[in-house]
Amino acid sequence: MKNNYKKYLVLLLSVGLFSCSKDLLDTVPNDRLSENVFWKTQSDAEVAVNSLYRDLDGTNIFAWDAFTDLAHVNQPFAVDAFIELGTYDATSSKIYSEWSNAYTGIAAANYFLDNVGKITTVTDSTTFKRYKAEARFLRAYQYVKLASLYGDVPLVTSSLSIDDARQLKREPVATIYDFIDAELSDIVNTLPLSYSGNNVGRITRGAALALKARADLYAGRYEAAATTAKAVIDLNVYKLYPTYGKLFSYAAENNSEVILDKQFITSTYSNGVFNLLAPYSQKSSQSTYVPTKAAVDQYQTAQGVNITDPSSGYDPDNPYANRDPRLGFSVFLDGDTLPDGSIFHPAPNSGTPDAVGNTYIASTTGFNIKKYVNKEDYANPSNNGINIILLRYAEVLLTYAEAKIEANTIDQSVYDAINAVRNTRSDVILPSVSNNLTRDQLRAAVRQERTIELAFEGLHLQDIRRWKTAATVVPGPVYGITYKDNSGATKVVQVAVNRLFDASKHYLWPVPQTERDQNGNLTQNAGW
């Protein structure tokens, strides 16, 4: 798929050059693909479906965890900060952009599906059908996001005129999930198990099943979620990557755990994740979203015990020692080696560029997200080619376990799924969860495992919403690192913010006011 981005750009240029050679009195726009020369051959279908992948989520996923207990929006004047604080409303540009971007992807997929049937020169019918399935998946992906963020939303399955768009009404969220289920179930057998060569990164059968399992879990359709997650497991295509510490590196791209990612390529179709997340000392990177103490405290000790347990062996004076290894693989901690080879020292009295309070850009919690921050990108922090993972096998295993627990069909396979995530990798070997847990204890265990394993990957916002725990874990002060001041006293950094969460309305985002101004048929979510 990385090479296919190049192919798309070359074809776009070719069409532009072709159009310039025509009679000037019968011109074709040279800044876009024209219907006068398009929708003729199967290669047109390929370039069109390739373009739909651009609408997948990318680095925007990191903001979502900053609206939870796991992370913090580092700059208080950023638009995202108002969502974190709970002081936003329907005019928020972030609320609008997520809605708009999703419907842009849906409109592009609808346009493809409305027009691909015009192609009469089909050289490979199997591949041609697959292109349609890919487009339907990418449309369903956007609806999963919309349903989880906004609840009831318009269901659009074909291209609309402006007048038609202004007549749309919101459909019940259950109807949206019905549509997602039907779409993904219908296309699953059209998609291959895997790809090779330039096609690696396309939508697979496993991706369709994994997205359906996620949607069913979000919808509270637990038996369906467990069944579909088990179907992914039974494909025998995916397995956990052997080292968690390398999972988000260039060396691990397209590995056996990745079910779906957004593919990037340096200087051609790049992202700026290094600049977005890395500590300030790393080429003045932005520390845009930073971990919280609440996130760090969720990681157990190496003995598999919560740090609040008196028997855990947790040492408050050495808080990051003897912990679940995923903590050090996910978060930059004091003493870590940074991409430029220097040592990370974020304590306010450290005198380093990363010291809390040194600049408004340095992390205000003293933690930085480590996932996706690779030394290969240090030279050009805003031109990165690292792929952003959107679905991976560990999520499927935990979806299976959680769904079985909620459906009250607990058996050994539930423990096996959780324990696979805890102790299959060579660099993460935690004790297995006890087989003697009650259902409530097992529910708490899988939620904690999901929170830790998938931290800073954009899934926790949807999780605390559907668990109805956001009203408990979000409100209040934000805390950061524990350090010793110049007198030797132990201190905890406290960020100068106080989060609010109104359970009467904040479990869903509002329908953007801009959309309602243009379409009076769009109702608003409760409380907004």
Side-chain angles (χ1 to χ4, degrees):
M1 279 302 293
K2 291 199 177 197
N3 288 331
N4 281 333
Y5 286 132
K6 289 183 177 179
K7 185 176 182 180
Y8 173 75
L9 294 173
V10 169
L11 284 173
L12 183 63
L13 178 61
S14 298
V15 171
L17 293 173
F18 171 77
S19 65
C20 292
S21 68
K22 291 174 66 73
D23 190 323
L24 291 178
L25 297 178
D26 184 23
T27 61
V28 175
N30 62 11
D31 61 345
R32 71 205 71 174
L33 293 170
S34 170
E35 290 186 357
N36 292 332
V37 297
F38 205 67
W39 303 118
K40 303 296 183 183
T41 67
Q42 185 162 321
S43 63
D44 291 342
E46 181 184 13
V47 71
V49 80
N50 286 352
S51 71
L52 302 182
Y53 283 81
R54 295 175 301 167
D55 295 311
L56 282 170
D57 291 313
T59 56
N60 62 306
I61 67 172
F62 300 108
W64 300 341
D65 274 6
F67 307 143
T68 76
D69 53 321
L70 294 188
H72 166 60
V73 180
N74 205 44
Q75 280 77 51
F77 47 79
V79 170
D80 291 352
F82 298 103
I83 300 178
E84 177 193 4
L85 294 174
T87 59
Y88 63 105
D89 60 24
T91 65
S92 166
S93 60
K94 176 66 174 180
I95 301 299
Y96 172 73
S97 67
E98 291 290 359
W99 174 289
S100 177
N101 291 343
Y103 276 109
T104 296
I106 289 167
N110 285 340
Y111 180 73
F112 173 89
L113 293 166
D114 289 345
N115 287 279
V116 72
K118 297 177 182 177
I119 294 174
T120 56
T121 305
V122 176
T123 56
D124 182 345
S125 60
T126 299
T127 301
F128 191 69
K129 289 177 182 177
R130 192 197 77 210
Y131 293 154
K132 297 178 186 178
E134 290 176 60
R136 292 170 70 183
F137 173 96
L138 293 165
R139 179 174 62 182
Y141 175 92
Q142 301 294 350
Y143 275 117
V144 174
K145 180 171 68 173
L146 286 167
S148 64
L149 291 177
Y150 303 92
D152 301 351
V153 292
L155 179 59
V156 185
T157 59
S158 61
S159 299
L160 300 175
S161 68
I162 294 177
D163 288 339
D164 288 339
R166 287 175 175 163
Q167 303 304 312
L168 288 173
K169 295 182 180 180
R170 299 169 72 197
E171 296 292 336
V173 68
T175 300
I176 304 300
Y177 281 120
D178 287 343
F179 172 78
I180 294 164
D181 261 4
E183 284 288 282
L184 296 175
S185 296
D186 194 48
I187 66 173
V188 67
N189 289 325
T190 306
L191 295 163
L193 289 174
S194 62
Y195 296 92
S196 60
N198 289 343
N199 286 316
V200 171
R202 289 190 177 278
I203 307 303
T204 60
R205 187 178 307 171
L209 290 169
L211 183 63
K212 183 180 181 300
R214 177 189 286 180
D216 286 334
L217 187 70
Y218 287 0
R221 301 173 180 181
Y222 298 120
E223 291 184 0
T227 298
T228 308
K230 184 63 163 60
V232 179
I233 296 168
D234 289 344
L235 291 176
N236 293 316
V237 170
Y238 306 103
K239 59 183 178 181
L240 297 174
Y241 190 65
T243 54
Y244 191 90
K246 298 294 184 182
L247 180 56
F248 304 93
S249 69
Y250 283 96
E253 283 191 330
N254 303 314
N255 69 75
S256 60
E257 185 167 343
V258 176
I259 299 176
L260 173 68
D261 58 8
K262 187 168 187 178
Q263 303 249 324
F264 291 94
I265 185 167
T266 304
S267 299
T268 299
Y269 188 75
S270 62
N271 62 59
V273 68
F274 187 104
N275 179 258
L276 186 76
L277 301 180
Y280 173 69
S281 64
Q282 304 302 288
K283 292 282 187 79
S284 298
S285 291
Q286 298 298 296
S287 302
T288 307
Y289 311 109
V290 295
T292 63
K293 185 177 187 294
V296 170
D297 286 352
Q298 294 236 25
Y299 291 83
Q300 297 178 325
T301 63
Q303 289 72 39
V305 181
N306 293 335
I307 65 170
T308 54
D309 190 317
S311 68
S312 67
Y314 171 71
D315 180 3
D317 291 327
N318 196 9
Y320 316 124
N322 193 40
R323 300 288 293 278
D324 179 337
R326 289 173 293 183
L327 172 58
F329 296 142
S330 303
V331 178
F332 279 110
L333 304 170
D334 183 50
D336 280 353
T337 301
L338 293 168
D340 70 350
S342 64
I343 303 301
F344 185 58
H345 288 307
N349 56 356
S350 67
T352 69
D354 294 318
V356 174
N358 173 58
T359 169
Y360 72 93
I361 299 177
S363 172
T364 50
T365 66
F367 298 117
N368 277 88
I369 296 173
K370 186 180 286 187
K371 288 180 177 179
Y372 293 108
V373 176
N374 290 290
K375 63 181 181 180
E376 292 93 331
D377 292 321
Y378 174 78
N380 200 340
S382 296
N383 183 16
N384 312 154
I386 189 71
N387 297 342
I388 304 298
I389 301 171
L390 301 175
L391 282 165
R392 61 184 178 95
Y393 188 53
E395 180 193 347
V396 172
L397 291 172
L398 295 173
T399 292
Y400 173 76
E402 183 182 347
K404 293 274 286 182
I405 294 166
E406 296 302 330
N408 203 19
T409 56
I410 300 169
D411 56 24
Q412 184 59 42
S413 67
V414 172
Y415 294 94
D416 292 343
I418 298 172
N419 291 330
V421 176
R422 287 176 64 82
N423 51 40
T424 296
R425 308 178 195 274
S426 63
D427 58 355
V428 179
I429 305 176
L430 295 167
S432 296
V433 295
S434 170
N435 281 33
N436 298 320
L437 299 182
T438 66
R439 185 183 178 203
D440 284 344
Q441 290 172 329
L442 195 53
R443 176 185 289 121
V446 76
R447 288 182 178 184
Q448 183 177 19
E449 196 63 36
R450 186 176 173 92
T451 299
I452 291 167
E453 172 71 22
L454 305 174
F456 318 118
E457 296 179 45
L459 298 178
H460 194 56
L461 177 63
Q462 287 78 6
D463 286 345
I464 62 173
R465 284 179 165 195
R466 61 190 178 82
W467 295 337
K468 294 296 185 244
T469 59
T472 301
V473 301
V474 171
V478 173
Y479 295 100
I481 60 170
T482 300
Y483 71 101
K484 291 188 182 296
D485 68 10
N486 294 334
S487 70
T490 300
K491 301 281 188 176
V492 176
V493 165
Q494 181 172 347
V495 184
V497 300
N498 192 60
R499 290 168 160 171
L500 303 174
F501 189 92
D502 185 345
S504 70
K505 64 180 182 180
H506 285 157
Y507 276 108
L508 289 174
W509 279 353
V511 175
Q513 189 60 45
T514 300
E515 295 296 317
R516 298 190 71 227
D517 289 343
Q518 298 180 71
N519 180 1
N521 292 315
L522 293 179
T523 58
Q524 186 55 279
N525 283 326
W528 294 102

